[in-house]
Amino acid sequence: MKPKEEHFFLGKIFKLHGYKGEINLYHQNNFELNLSKINYLLIDINKTFIPFFIERIRKKKENILLIKFENINSEKEALDILKKSVFVDKKFIVNFLKEQDLTNYKVYDINKGYLGTVQMINNQTPQKLIFVKGSEYDFCFPMHENFIKKIKVKEKCITINIPEELLTLN
């Protein structure tokens, strides 16, 4: 399975729903997911990400998803994944974020720390570009999963891993 950096922590399975294997997942992040595009979630079982394919998924409450996984058809089978951490492949988040307004989000690099604030997103180019104004650098970088490591919507911040060359490209 892919390394953890390629996934976003979605939440924890906190409760069973009924007796046919459905579960309630507390969706810890404050962003919407395009549920029709996600066909699997990754469950951390003994530090290994195991893909569980989704049979049905719907929003139950603001931060709670009701999920029925394929091949989990009883309360006993669902108990095996209760209290487990659930991750979503980053490509689903990034694809969603391509449609979002990230203006005024703070930008942090995993190595360099705070870099600045998103001023605008140029979506008139084949690859969307995020423009950042900082005290040391004004730069842009492609909106791509290779650069974006984490997005916290509540805190309005983006964590990136960006090569020095992109920072000094001007």
Side-chain angles (χ1 to χ4, degrees):
M1 195 47 45
K2 299 176 190 174
K4 221 174 195 178
E5 297 81 41
E6 296 185 25
H7 304 103
F8 279 104
F9 176 69
L10 186 59
K12 284 204 174 226
I13 299 170
F14 74 97
K15 185 172 141 185
L16 303 183
H17 181 84
Y19 59 91
K20 294 185 179 180
E22 290 182 301
I23 55 96
N24 286 290
L25 173 82
Y26 179 71
H27 182 295
Q28 186 163 302
N29 302 298
N30 190 26
F31 53 78
E32 292 292 321
L33 295 170
N34 188 344
L35 299 178
S36 65
K37 298 279 186 196
I38 300 173
N39 56 355
Y40 67 93
L41 294 172
L42 300 160
I43 299 179
D44 186 352
I45 299 176
N46 299 324
K47 301 200 186 301
T48 302
F49 289 150
I50 309 294
F52 280 77
F53 290 89
I54 298 169
E55 190 174 302
R56 290 185 308 273
I57 185 170
R58 72 174 172 85
K59 195 176 203 176
K60 186 175 175 183
K61 291 185 180 176
E62 184 60 32
N63 286 342
I64 298 175
L65 298 174
L66 180 62
I67 303 170
K68 168 67 174 84
F69 290 113
E70 292 178 6
N71 301 322
I72 295 187
N73 299 309
S74 70
E75 185 176 359
K76 184 180 182 312
E77 291 171 318
L79 280 171
D80 292 338
I81 59 171
L82 186 63
K83 306 285 187 218
K84 300 290 185 195
S85 295
V86 178
F87 294 79
V88 62
D89 196 304
K90 186 166 66 171
K91 69 182 178 188
F92 296 121
I93 302 297
V94 172
N95 288 339
F96 166 74
L97 290 168
K98 287 180 182 174
E99 303 164 5
Q100 298 305 300
D101 181 15
L102 300 176
T103 306
N104 296 321
Y105 273 53
K106 292 180 179 156
V107 178
Y108 296 88
D109 182 82
I110 60 173
N111 297 312
K112 298 167 196 63
Y114 177 73
L115 294 177
T117 305
V118 174
Q119 295 300 297
M120 68 171 269
I121 296 175
N122 182 349
N123 54 14
Q124 302 301 311
T125 59
Q127 174 73 52
K128 290 186 181 188
L129 297 173
I130 299 174
F131 285 82
V132 178
K133 177 149 184 72
S135 56
E136 193 174 333
Y137 306 104
D138 289 350
F139 65 97
C140 69
F141 65 95
M143 185 180 284
H144 192 272
E145 61 234 27
N146 288 344
F147 299 114
I148 299 173
K149 297 302 173 190
K150 186 184 297 183
I151 296 175
K152 295 182 180 175
V153 176
K154 281 183 182 176
E155 292 88 353
K156 289 195 160 215
C157 68
I158 303 171
T159 302
I160 62 173
N161 186 9
I162 192 161
E164 183 76 29
E165 296 81 22
L166 283 179
L167 293 175
T168 58
L169 196 58
N170 285 350

